[in-house]
Amino acid sequence: MSSSKTAPTAYEVVQEPEPHPARTAAILKAHPEVRKLFGRNSATAWLVPLILVVQFGMAYLVRDQPWWVIVLAAYTLGALVNNTCYVIIHEATHSLIFKGRAANLLTAIGADLVHVIPSAATFTRFHLVHHRHQGEFDLDADLPSHAEAKLVGNSTVMKALWITFFPLMQALRMPRFSKLISFWEPWTVVNALAVFSVDAAVFFLMGPWAFLYVVLSIFFSIGLHPLGGRLIQEHFIISHPQETYSYYGPWNISALNVGYHNEHHDFSAVPWNRLPQVKAAAPEFYDTLVSHRSWTGLLVRFITDPSMSLYSRITRPGGIKRRILTGGVGRVPDSVASLDQPPVQPAA
């Protein structure tokens, strides 16, 4: 895909606050009934044992199969299963499954057992900071590092490689936040012991090919796969100056409506199964926003369009650097409770 525009070589910096608090307040004023959608969905937890049985059952079935069967199984079933697990971890992060943090974290760690590298407890920290400090480079781990963005540039090949190895690229961002966001807590250790124990069990009891299936499933679930389009959909600039985008397509079925990203940022107290109701309740707020219908088409566009780079994001100046989380996971605010008093848009 050709374009006359030049790919950005630095993040766009704006002075305006992020758009979600203002829209949250406006929607609640126009449609107070949206508050009835706040809550939790404990039934989400029942997906975890089902998914574990399916994923490790498939790993067992392909343990003696040719390599191409393993790759095909990982690209089709494995990727879907892993992606769903990421969304369950996301729901638990916002306390949208149970009220207690411990129960949510145990559910998240259960979903994390398919991911080979433990990430659930750490994600809990970084993701909630992303919500409170969207676009602040020093705090928002969703933003690529400058070294990462410069390395990839706007090259089609490099962008394809970046998507392919996204799980590794994201992990390499974490050290830049180590002095600001504490993540070495008891739950991190529990998470690591659980995941690595399952890794060892799969490798030694089912064999290396079964383990390869599990590993490939991770890379396909948020990599060079239609599901990888979500990485671009959420915050990459497609229609300036909009900085958050939703996806309303069929992948939302297996991805538990994770595509409803504007709705989620506006109302992080609404569980996945009710997010479509948010859009339906306030169509005048969401139908006017640019949205996506195809993750596949978006992924191809990002990779092939020379006017897009990892710098195709909006950032804003942050406050003085500070330690965001110091008291353990238990002090991370509950999404439902925090929206009982919705944030007020700062005065201009």
Side-chain angles (χ1 to χ4, degrees):
M1 180 181 294
S2 61
S3 175
S4 59
K5 295 182 180 179
T6 302
T9 56
Y11 288 118
E12 177 179 351
V13 181
V14 301
Q15 299 300 320
E16 297 80 9
E18 54 137 324
H20 302 290
R23 190 159 57 234
T24 298
I27 291 175
L28 288 177
K29 182 178 180 179
H31 301 282
E33 69 276 10
V34 169
R35 281 188 179 277
K36 296 179 181 179
L37 301 176
F38 293 7
R40 312 173 206 277
N41 181 5
S42 59
T44 303
W46 289 105
L47 292 173
V48 175
L50 174 62
I51 286 172
L52 295 180
V53 169
V54 170
Q55 184 69 333
F56 293 121
M58 179 57 72
Y60 179 81
L61 290 175
V62 301
R63 70 194 188 282
D64 295 322
Q65 296 299 314
W67 68 267
W68 63 268
V69 173
I70 295 171
V71 172
L72 182 62
Y75 199 83
T76 53
L77 177 65
L80 267 68
V81 168
N82 268 268
N83 187 263
T84 303
C85 283
Y86 279 121
V87 183
I88 293 172
I89 292 170
H90 175 261
E91 292 290 296
T93 292
H94 287 282
S95 298
L96 295 176
I97 302 176
F98 301 108
K99 186 174 182 179
R101 288 298 295 171
N104 281 291
L105 277 164
L106 287 172
T107 303
I109 291 171
D112 204 29
L113 296 179
V114 302
H115 290 147
V116 179
I117 301 298
S119 61
T122 304
F123 178 81
T124 297
R125 296 321 212 343
F126 287 97
H127 182 69
L128 291 178
V129 174
H130 161 67
H131 269 259
R132 295 197 299 274
H133 301 277
Q134 179 177 310
E136 296 180 30
F137 181 79
D138 290 329
L139 296 172
D140 189 351
D142 193 62
L143 290 166
S145 68
H146 291 296
E148 183 181 344
K150 291 180 185 300
L151 175 66
V152 174
N154 67 340
S155 161
T156 295
V157 172
M158 292 301 293
K159 285 189 285 186
L161 289 173
W162 177 77
I163 289 287
T164 300
F165 296 102
F166 181 79
L168 295 179
M169 301 302 293
Q170 189 173 49
L172 291 174
R173 297 176 192 171
M174 297 302 103
R176 98 173 188 245
F177 304 99
S178 61
K179 294 182 179 180
L180 294 171
I181 305 174
S182 170
F183 57 91
W184 287 112
E185 302 290 342
W187 281 108
T188 310
V189 177
V190 172
N191 192 178
L193 290 174
V195 172
F196 289 141
S197 295
V198 170
D199 291 349
V202 172
F203 188 88
F204 290 109
L205 298 180
M206 297 186 191
W209 293 115
F211 187 68
L212 176 63
Y213 163 79
V214 178
V215 171
L216 289 177
S217 296
I218 301 167
F219 282 91
F220 290 146
S221 66
I222 49 173
L224 199 61
H225 185 284
L227 292 168
R230 177 169 68 90
L231 305 175
I232 312 305
Q233 165 241 310
E234 294 179 345
H235 295 293
F236 276 78
I237 303 171
I238 297 297
S239 179
H240 192 275
Q242 187 175 324
E243 62 184 278
T244 304
Y245 301 80
S246 290
Y247 158 78
Y248 306 122
W251 287 106
N252 275 320
I253 297 173
S254 66
L256 306 183
N257 291 327
V258 75
Y260 286 77
H261 206 58
N262 266 306
E263 293 83 351
H264 168 64
H265 266 270
D266 292 345
F267 296 100
S268 60
V270 176
W272 66 271
N273 57 305
R274 300 177 197 162
L275 285 174
Q277 296 177 57
V278 173
K279 182 178 185 297
E284 71 274 24
F285 288 91
Y286 295 111
D287 290 351
T288 56
L289 297 174
V290 174
S291 61
H292 299 291
R293 295 286 177 178
S294 171
W295 273 342
T296 304
L298 179 60
L299 187 63
V300 172
R301 174 179 175 180
F302 171 75
I303 291 173
T304 60
D305 189 343
S307 72
M308 295 191 72
S309 74
L310 301 193
Y311 278 128
S312 299
R313 300 283 298 266
I314 287 176
T315 63
R316 49 185 48 83
I320 299 172
K321 288 186 178 181
R322 57 212 179 273
R323 194 169 183 80
I324 297 301
L325 302 174
T326 57
V329 176
R331 293 193 182 182
V332 175
D334 179 291
S335 288
V336 177
S338 66
L339 264 186
D340 280 342
Q341 295 294 328
V344 178
Q345 180 72 4

